Amino acid sequence: MFNLILFGPPGSGKGTQSEKLIARYGLKHLSTGDLLRSEIAAQSPLGMAAKSIMDKGQLVPDEVVIEMINSALENNPQARGFLFDGFPRTTAQAEALDKLLAQKETEIAVVLALQVSKEELISRLLNRGKSSGRSDDTNELVIRSRIEEYEMKTAVVADYYNKFNKVVMVKGEGTIDEIFDSLCDEIDAKTEA
Ligand code: B4P
């Protein structure tokens, strides 16, 4: 199994690049943002609780997203590997993921961390908000809160994986294809090693 984490602040291109990476490498895409938005669309109790948190730009509680990932792993026993997008976002989530993968006798091979300036993140998300209808993308204050949550709670997740030498920084500015090529180079280097 080959498991990777696409890491970076909101708007850094995780969702965009994940679509291309799963097509090239045949991995199962697990995006906690997408899973939460499906719960909201289904108007489930979990979705309704998550919506009010996401609309403020805050992180949904760890136990909720860890359980979602646990179920997704259980529901995909045939997967040849997973691409985690937007997860883990806290050290507690990272520790839980390591345990879940260890139960399956596998682990994270690499954490690809997209580097993008704050101005570029805000501009991309406001731009997406014009067409996506995502309520967390239309208000600049909410976007800034999401970036603050990232800086306070999520950036440390890179330190956690750095202890195991698993983090590779990738420039996340440029064309989508240029960034995709850089990500593929790093994955190919890992899988050939
Ligand atoms: P997510 O769905 O993970 O959303 P995101 O971080 O905002 O988006 P992403 O980074 O994937 O977007 P992309 O850059 O691809 O999270 C939403 C919310 O869910 C969180 O705020 C939180 O409340 C909750 N949540 C999710 N996971 C959680 C967890 N594990 N724990 C707790 N809470 C959780 O796209 C952005 C835009 O940039 C797009 O319009 C795209 O077209 C554009 N773009 C991409 N690449 C570009 C490039 N190279 N140049 C120009 N534009 C580009």
Side-chain angles (χ1 to χ4, degrees), residues 23-181:
R24 160 121 12 145
Y25 294 100
L27 300 171
K28 173 74 188 164
H29 183 198
L30 291 185
S31 156
T32 39
D34 288 351
L35 292 168
L36 289 165
R37 283 185 288 278
S38 322
E39 294 283 344
I40 293 172
Q43 300 193 323
S44 70
L46 190 160
M48 294 300 94
K51 182 171 179 6
S52 63
I53 298 171
M54 290 164 75
D55 281 349
K56 290 189 216 128
Q58 295 168 356
L59 293 182
V60 172
D62 286 339
E63 53 277 18
V64 173
V65 283
I66 291 167
E67 185 44 41
M68 283 193 328
I69 288 289
N70 185 19
S71 310
L73 293 176
E74 291 298 317
N75 291 337
N76 288 283
Q78 313 293 359
R80 52 195 285 200
F82 293 95
L83 188 166
F84 297 95
D85 159 11
F87 180 90
R89 262 177 156 94
T90 63
T91 305
Q93 292 181 20
E95 288 168 350
L97 178 61
D98 274 358
K99 282 195 192 130
L100 291 173
L101 292 177
Q103 284 165 15
K104 299 191 175 304
E105 297 179 354
T106 183
E107 62 178 358
I108 293 296
V110 65
V111 178
L112 298 172
L114 291 165
Q115 310 290 301
V116 179
S117 73
K118 198 185 276 192
E119 293 67 34
E120 172 75 8
L121 297 174
I122 294 170
S123 131
R124 284 185 190 178
L125 292 173
L126 282 173
N127 199 32
R128 179 169 68 183
K130 286 182 204 154
S131 55
S132 70
R134 268 180 62 169
S135 47
D136 58 346
D137 280 346
T138 39
N139 180 329
E140 187 169 335
L141 286 177
V142 173
I143 291 173
R144 286 187 182 275
S145 301
R146 286 160 62 194
I147 296 172
E148 270 169 36
E149 284 277 271
Y150 172 83
E151 287 167 349
M152 282 189 306
K153 298 177 185 164
T154 306
V156 290
V157 173
D159 301 337
Y160 173 84
Y161 286 107
N162 238 336
K163 285 190 289 193
F164 310 103
N165 271 329
K166 290 188 173 174
V167 181
V168 178
M169 305 286 185
V170 176
K171 188 174 158 219
E173 294 189 35
T175 68
I176 289 171
D177 284 339
E178 281 165 356
I179 299 161
F180 178 62
D181 287 344

